[in-house]
Structure formats: structure tokens, C-alpha cells
Amino acid sequence: MKRLAILGALALMVTASGAAQAADAAAGEKVYRACRACHVIDKEQNRVGPHLVGIVGRPVAAIEGFRYSNGMVEWGEGKVWDAATLDLYLENPRGVVKGTKMAYPGLKKAEDRANIIAYLEGAGS
């Protein structure tokens, strides 16, 4: 039984690794278009949402002067926006962070999330 659990975990890791490798930043740029109404990625300018310059690797709720919701501040304590955290949040922002100001319902397709994360990693950094 333990052997099957280990094999299952390894298969999941390989699948997740393959999905990350297959991510397409150009496709992610297209997915990002829905984010432009509230977020800027090419300059440190906040809109309704905080700017996304250098988001990958940045602590959560760390933009000086941006008024984050209490829910985001509490949830983000000690967290960094890495691929796993972005993936979790982008799938269902309101489900992950109770009281977030982000009205966007989320990206349900794992491929879209992987692509936008690849785009965020390369753009505005």
C-alpha cells in the first residue's frame, strides 16, 4: 500500500513538473489581458489592484502604499508569490483569501494558470 502511495506521489510530481515545463508565456500574455483592467505589469503603478512588476518571488501583500484587504494581509503573512502560491490563488481568489478585494472569479484551467505564471515570471521583472 505504501509503495502505491509513493508511486502515485511520484507520478503527480512528474506530471506537475511536465506541466510547468510545457507552460507557454506567449499564451500567458493572452490570458493576462483579462487582468489589465486592474493590474499593471510593465511599471510600478497601482490601479484597483497592485502592480505585478516582479511579482514572482515577491512577498505577498508587500507593495508599499497599496491598501490590501485584511484577508490578504493575514493570508499572505510569511508567504511569497511563487508558482505554487500563484497557482492556488489564481484558481479561486475569493475561495483562497476570504475578504480579498479581487473580484475576478479565477482561472479554472490549470493550463491557463501555468501559462500566465510563465508570463509573469518573464514580464516586468
Side-chain angles (χ1 to χ4, degrees):
M1 190 70 148
K2 282 186 178 180
R3 184 182 229 168
L4 284 176
I6 292 170
L7 288 173
L10 287 172
L12 182 61
M13 287 172 28
V14 169
T15 301
S17 166
Q21 290 174 354
D24 180 351
E29 183 175 13
K30 291 177 184 169
V31 175
Y32 174 77
R33 289 179 185 160
C35 310
R36 291 188 303 194
C38 299
H39 297 280
V40 175
I41 194 164
D42 58 351
K43 57 185 167 184
E44 294 182 5
Q45 175 187 351
N46 297 323
R47 289 190 177 164
V48 172
H51 72 78
L52 301 179
V53 174
I55 188 165
V56 179
R58 181 173 77 205
V60 173
I63 299 297
E64 195 70 34
F66 185 80
R67 292 182 49 181
Y68 294 96
S69 66
N70 290 337
M72 179 60 79
V73 171
E74 290 170 17
W75 178 80
E77 192 169 322
K79 290 183 176 77
V80 172
W81 288 120
D82 58 16
T85 306
L86 282 164
D87 183 63
L88 175 70
Y89 182 69
L90 291 173
E91 183 176 15
N92 183 4
R94 290 186 174 279
V96 171
V97 179
K98 302 300 181 202
T100 185
K101 294 178 187 177
M102 189 151 133
Y104 189 74
L107 292 167
K108 301 308 175 204
K109 293 182 182 177
E111 180 180 9
D112 286 344
R113 293 191 310 274
N115 290 341
I116 198 168
I117 291 166
Y119 174 65
L120 292 172
E121 286 176 331
S125 302

